[in-house]
Amino acid sequence: MNTSYAAPPPFTLHHTDPEAGRRRIGPPPSWAGPVPGLGYVELRYGAALERGGAFRQFSVGGERIPPAVFSGIDYAQMPLPSRPRLQVGPHTGTVSRRRSGLSRDGRALRIQLAGRAYRYRQGPTTCVHELLRPDVLVRVTRDDWYRPLRLDVQVEGPADAVDLSLALVLQGVYTRHLSQGGRWFSLPFRILNRLPDGL
């Protein structure tokens, strides 16, 4: 797939069922909308059928964007970056993080994909997340941390369609513990979830 692409102006994706987005129990949420230069995209949760009932996945699909899937241990109907699998177009990625990191960068996810090294970190607030590689930043701001109804995306630098697809698929991953405060907030629930690779 040809992924050459000029970075788009800011754009917004909206929840496809706003009422379900505010309910704790309901249909799996999804977000959708047009991305300038890449057409219509949709972000959706689902079961990771090939991995068993303990896993969950989040996917990105659209007209001219590389399809992406992230799966991991199911936590509150979201995949954790625990025993993760990542695929963007033809590229299989690897995901790791340092659990003992003290700063936002120290606790960021480290992602290797398509010959690139990325970091994915919490931004200055819990509703802001940033995907970074050299000279490229994709910042996504959510209107709510738990069940956002809109995702506002801003791009800096020569991003391409792989960068955009990766940034969008990471929006469905549980990452509250990428900050120190979030780590302690989510710690009891993750213990109860009995993750196989620890905290």
Side-chain angles (χ1 to χ4, degrees):
M1 175 180 291
N2 181 5
T3 59
S4 60
Y5 177 58
F11 64 92
T12 299
L13 303 181
H14 293 276
H15 204 294
T16 57
D17 181 357
E19 292 303 317
R22 294 303 191 200
R23 293 196 298 265
R24 291 185 178 272
I25 299 176
S30 64
W31 293 264
V35 177
L38 290 176
Y40 188 84
V41 300
E42 185 173 28
L43 287 56
R44 182 176 293 277
Y45 287 102
L49 298 177
E50 78 287 357
R51 304 193 67 186
F55 293 85
R56 190 77 167 163
Q57 74 176 33
F58 191 69
S59 62
V60 172
E63 298 173 16
R64 294 187 298 277
I65 194 168
V69 178
F70 189 110
S71 67
I73 293 289
D74 184 357
Y75 178 72
Q77 299 191 56
M78 293 179 282
L80 276 162
S82 176
R83 295 174 62 185
R85 291 181 185 175
L86 171 64
Q87 188 79 25
V88 179
H91 309 292
T92 300
T94 62
V95 182
S96 63
R97 67 184 178 92
R98 291 197 287 268
R99 293 172 176 80
S100 59
L102 299 179
S103 67
R104 286 191 296 141
D105 278 328
R107 296 192 64 80
L109 296 182
R110 265 64 176 180
I111 299 169
Q112 298 288 329
L113 178 77
R116 302 169 176 178
Y118 292 92
R119 285 175 294 135
Y120 183 68
R121 68 185 185 189
Q122 181 177 294
T125 71
T126 57
C127 289
V128 179
H129 287 77
E130 299 171 333
L131 178 71
L132 304 99
R133 67 175 175 89
D135 301 319
V136 169
L137 167 65
V138 183
R139 180 180 292 112
V140 181
T141 303
R142 313 171 187 186
D143 67 333
D144 178 75
W145 175 78
Y146 180 66
R147 282 288 181 90
L149 296 184
R150 64 183 277 158
L151 307 174
D152 295 313
V153 183
Q154 292 182 301
V155 180
E156 298 177 12
D160 63 17
V162 170
D163 299 320
L164 264 293
S165 187
L166 176 59
L168 292 178
V169 80
L170 289 169
Q171 298 314 303
V173 179
Y174 185 92
T175 54
R176 184 70 177 90
H177 52 309
L178 294 187
S179 69
Q180 278 286 48
R183 178 192 183 193
W184 296 116
F185 171 83
S186 62
L187 181 62
F189 308 104
R190 289 184 290 122
I191 289 175
L192 290 175
N193 208 47
R194 297 179 181 178
L195 300 185
D197 67 344
L199 301 170

